Amino acid sequence: MHIRLKIWRQENSQDTGKMQDYALADVNPDMSFLEMLDMLNEQLLGQGQRAIEFDHDCREGICGQCGVMINGRAHGPLKNTTTCQLHMRSFRDGDTIYIEPFRATAFPVKCDLKIDRTAFDRVIQAGGYISVNTGQAPEANSIPVGHPIAEAAFDAAACIGCGACVAVCKNSSAALFTSAKITHLVLLPQGAVEAQERVRHMVDQMDAEGFGHCSNTEACEAECPQQISVLHIARMNWEYNKAQLLKK
Amino acid sequence: MGQWTQKTLTRKNWMAFTGLFLCFFLVIHLLGNLQLLLPDERAHLQFNAYSHLLSGNILIKIISWVLYASIIAHVVYAVIITLTNKRAGDVKYHYDRRGEVSKWYTRNMGLLGTIIFIFLVIHFRDFWYVYKFGSLPLDAQGNKDLYTLVVAVYSETWYVLLYVLCMVALCYHLLHGFFSAARTLGVYHPRYVQWIRVIGWIYSVGICAGFALIPIYVHFLK
Ligand code: HEM
Ligand code: SF4
Ligand code: FES
């Protein structure tokens, strides 16, 4: 395959940045999208140019690092797929592919396609945990959890923090991400104890980071690689309203 | 005070409460207006008598004050929310096809709302203002003759067209709004979520078709 690329280049967080054109020949359709970028980078390094920086780690769809905007869609044209799980066979010979970093005021661009996603970390730090003294691993069956609840909590816990939900949202809302963690913990007996403070602190932090409001467009669920359900957002709203009403 | 106005979730609650109140009001408003579809003689006297009854009733007075407050609050929060959202994502994508994964009307509630707002201004000026502050002639029973005014206004073709277009905008606003309000207020049980989708659909189409039918009927048959 022969492809043309338009890629966002930005030296550092202060730089204004711009889209730059590249061409790549002999792309194998079975390459993953990131392998295609690796190939481009080798070519650039060979020519003595600076490589294009992009985040990645596991390359098997579980770490959530590889988020970029591809042809105007979060993680590319497929629904519910990370960039590393996207292959060049999803494109056609001669295509022009736009690659841009995920955009949100709360996710400043650090360099090229790399963004600063620590806003998510701070939302988790605000309450996405349970306060216990961790000693030895406790006996797994000492706190009974029904199977459907365990499954539901696990579905919510599957969020990999990739930020696609924010990137695709017209309001740059982090509602799906935040609500997944809140729901994960509120479903379980260990998490229910601190449910009220948790939801208030995490929502406050989400607001403080400068994410927008949720308009319930449901674009986030369509792009989320873990198919986190938008009903978690409704659950977060419910828990938040309850916590606000019962607050002492 | 801060917690009621600053938090994104709380602002959305106000949007939902005020929006749902407006939804409730539309039902009463439509039921009253359907009297315009009665045979000429009856519609004339009954509609005027009904309007007179409403303007004297204390309960209706309270509802109308809540209505004015809801419209204002809904619009004010719509503006605040829209501005905050703009700030949250101020850098645009060079190539943007995010629209492929959501419905257009869910992304354009502000635009649809603005159309409704313009409509409301015209609507208030033409009927509400004239009824309250203008000098309308009286009908045979001594009530202000709103009916004749309505028939006169709806005899204008452009007005009927504008009215119907605005009802289409309202329909899309409600199609998303009704369902979105339930989400905002925290309905997360999958079964009720399905029901709300269906009820919201029936509600939106029913209300807007009903409102659109009246000027069309009056225009062509009165
Ligand atoms: C009869 C008139 C109206 C009714 C019945 C109505 C109803 C609703 C409802 C039920 C919602 C959902 C709230 C939520 O998402 O939680 C909503 C949202 C919204 N309304 Fe209205 N509305 C009306 C007029 C207006 C007007 C005049 C404007 C603006 C000038 C407006 C702007 C908006 C916006 C921007 C949203 C979306 C908020 C968001 O996506 O976060 N609406 N409306
Ligand atoms: S909710 Fe989905 S899209 Fe959002 S950060 Fe988690 S895995 Fe990514
Ligand atoms: S690199 Fe880990 S999810 Fe793509």
Side-chain angles (χ1 to χ4, degrees):
Chain A
M1 291 168 80
H2 183 93
I3 52 165
R4 267 184 279 274
L5 295 154
K6 286 181 187 290
I7 303 179
W8 182 258
R9 297 306 308 262
Q10 181 173 336
E11 289 281 335
N12 52 46
S13 49
Q14 270 77 49
D15 186 19
T16 43
K18 62 173 196 303
M19 297 299 281
Q20 187 131 3
D21 293 348
Y22 299 95
L24 206 52
D26 297 327
V27 174
N28 185 329
D30 291 330
M31 275 180 176
S32 79
F33 197 83
L34 297 186
E35 281 166 340
M36 181 276 292
L37 283 179
D38 291 339
M39 187 176 157
L40 175 64
N41 272 344
E42 269 173 35
Q43 190 175 303
L44 289 180
L45 290 172
Q47 296 161 355
Q49 297 183 42
R50 188 172 66 80
I52 297 158
E53 295 208 22
F54 61 92
D55 273 325
H56 64 104
D57 186 10
C58 69
R59 297 209 175 191
E60 55 183 15
I62 55 172
C63 76
Q65 285 298 305
C66 56
V68 285
M69 215 63 183
I70 302 166
N71 279 349
R73 291 274 304 273
H75 294 300
L78 305 181
K79 286 188 178 178
N80 307 118
T81 315
T82 55
T83 305
C84 58
Q85 299 301 297
L86 176 69
H87 290 83
M88 294 313 293
R89 52 179 170 270
S90 294
F91 301 90
R92 274 185 314 233
D93 191 31
D95 270 3
T96 301
I97 306 173
Y98 285 71
I99 313 176
E100 298 172 69
F102 280 175
R103 294 288 192 190
T105 308
F107 287 164
V109 175
K110 289 203 294 197
C111 181
D112 299 338
L113 304 172
K114 278 170 82 153
I115 56 166
D116 179 354
R117 256 174 308 205
T118 49
F120 269 8
D121 299 341
R122 288 186 292 271
V123 171
I124 295 295
Q125 281 160 11
Y129 52 80
I130 55 167
S131 312
V132 287
N133 288 322
T134 51
Q136 271 184 327
E139 158 59 33
N141 292 324
S142 59
I143 303 175
V145 179
H147 183 70
I149 296 288
E151 285 293 332
F154 205 76
D155 285 347
C159 166
I160 54 178
C162 64
C165 45
V166 176
V168 72
C169 177
K170 74 172 181 76
N171 306 335
S172 306
S173 164
L176 193 63
F177 167 81
T178 310
S179 68
K181 188 50 65 191
I182 287 168
T183 308
H184 160 211
L185 292 173
V186 79
L187 284 170
L188 299 170
Q190 296 92 329
V193 184
E194 294 164 295
Q196 291 187 19
E197 304 96 273
R198 174 180 309 112
V199 67
R200 281 196 280 111
H201 293 158
M202 288 184 72
V203 168
D204 288 357
Q205 191 61 37
M206 171 177 90
D207 288 355
E209 296 295 342
F211 293 109
H213 300 72
C214 171
S215 288
N216 298 305
T217 69
E218 304 192 335
C220 50
E221 181 183 309
E223 292 290 38
C224 171
Q226 298 300 89
Q227 302 189 42
I228 302 290
S229 162
V230 284
L231 293 185
H232 291 106
I233 298 177
R235 179 75 189 243
M236 168 175 75
N237 297 341
W238 173 261
E239 297 296 337
Y240 183 78
N241 290 337
K242 196 165 74 177
Q244 286 294 70
L245 284 176
L246 300 180
K247 189 169 71 172
K248 295 214 180 67
Chain B
M1 190 61 192
Q3 64 160 303
W4 301 111
T5 53
Q6 300 299 311
K7 301 283 176 275
T8 54
L9 265 47
T10 318
R11 288 183 190 143
K12 282 303 306 269
N13 281 340
W14 286 114
M15 280 306 280
F17 285 135
T18 53
L20 286 179
F21 181 80
L22 294 179
C23 288
F24 160 75
F25 171 78
L26 288 182
V27 178
I28 314 180
H29 192 32
L30 177 61
L31 290 179
N33 285 12
L34 285 177
Q35 296 174 85
L36 289 166
L37 301 181
L38 291 170
D40 274 0
E41 283 306 297
R42 260 194 82 193
H44 194 158
L45 293 180
Q46 190 173 324
F47 185 72
N48 287 345
Y50 168 78
S51 307
H52 181 74
L53 182 81
L54 289 193
S55 53
N57 189 315
I58 178 73
L59 186 73
I60 299 297
K61 272 237 155 57
I62 295 171
I63 292 188
S64 66
W65 282 110
V66 179
L67 175 70
Y68 307 145
S70 292
I71 295 176
I72 294 168
H74 193 80
V75 172
V76 168
Y77 275 107
V79 171
I80 295 176
I81 284 175
T82 307
L83 291 179
T84 318
N85 293 343
K86 285 245 145 46
R87 265 203 309 279
D90 51 2
V91 187
K92 299 281 159 278
Y93 292 106
H94 284 256
Y95 189 39
D96 194 345
R97 291 175 66 177
R98 292 179 293 169
E100 286 173 359
V101 289
S102 59
K103 300 200 182 73
W104 69 269
Y105 55 88
T106 67
R107 284 176 274 122
N108 291 290
M109 290 294 276
L111 178 70
L112 293 168
T114 308
I115 298 175
I116 302 171
F117 185 74
I118 295 169
F119 171 80
L120 285 180
V121 172
I122 300 174
H123 193 67
F124 268 69
R125 193 203 58 187
D126 287 350
F127 299 119
W128 178 84
Y129 182 81
V130 177
Y131 191 81
K132 285 215 121 159
F133 305 106
S135 52
L136 278 177
L138 303 181
D139 68 6
Q141 291 178 337
N143 293 320
K144 285 187 182 177
D145 196 356
L146 187 60
Y147 178 84
T148 306
L149 174 68
V150 171
V151 174
V153 170
Y154 290 166
S155 65
E156 300 271 7
T157 309
W158 68 268
Y159 197 97
V160 175
L161 275 176
L162 184 79
Y163 194 106
V164 172
L165 269 178
C166 291
M167 286 310 111
V168 174
L170 177 65
C171 187
Y172 279 111
H173 195 80
L174 294 179
L175 221 44
H176 183 60
F178 188 88
F179 141 90
S180 175
R183 280 287 167 78
T184 299
L185 296 178
V187 181
Y188 65 83
H189 192 294
R191 179 154 27 109
Y192 302 120
V193 164
Q194 275 315 314
W195 289 357
I196 282 169
R197 278 231 194 252
V198 176
I199 296 170
W201 205 89
I202 296 171
Y203 170 84
S204 312
V205 175
I207 288 285
C208 297
F211 273 120
L213 180 70
I214 295 169
I216 296 178
Y217 179 89
V218 171
H219 183 76
F220 288 106
L221 297 170
K222 295 219 180 204

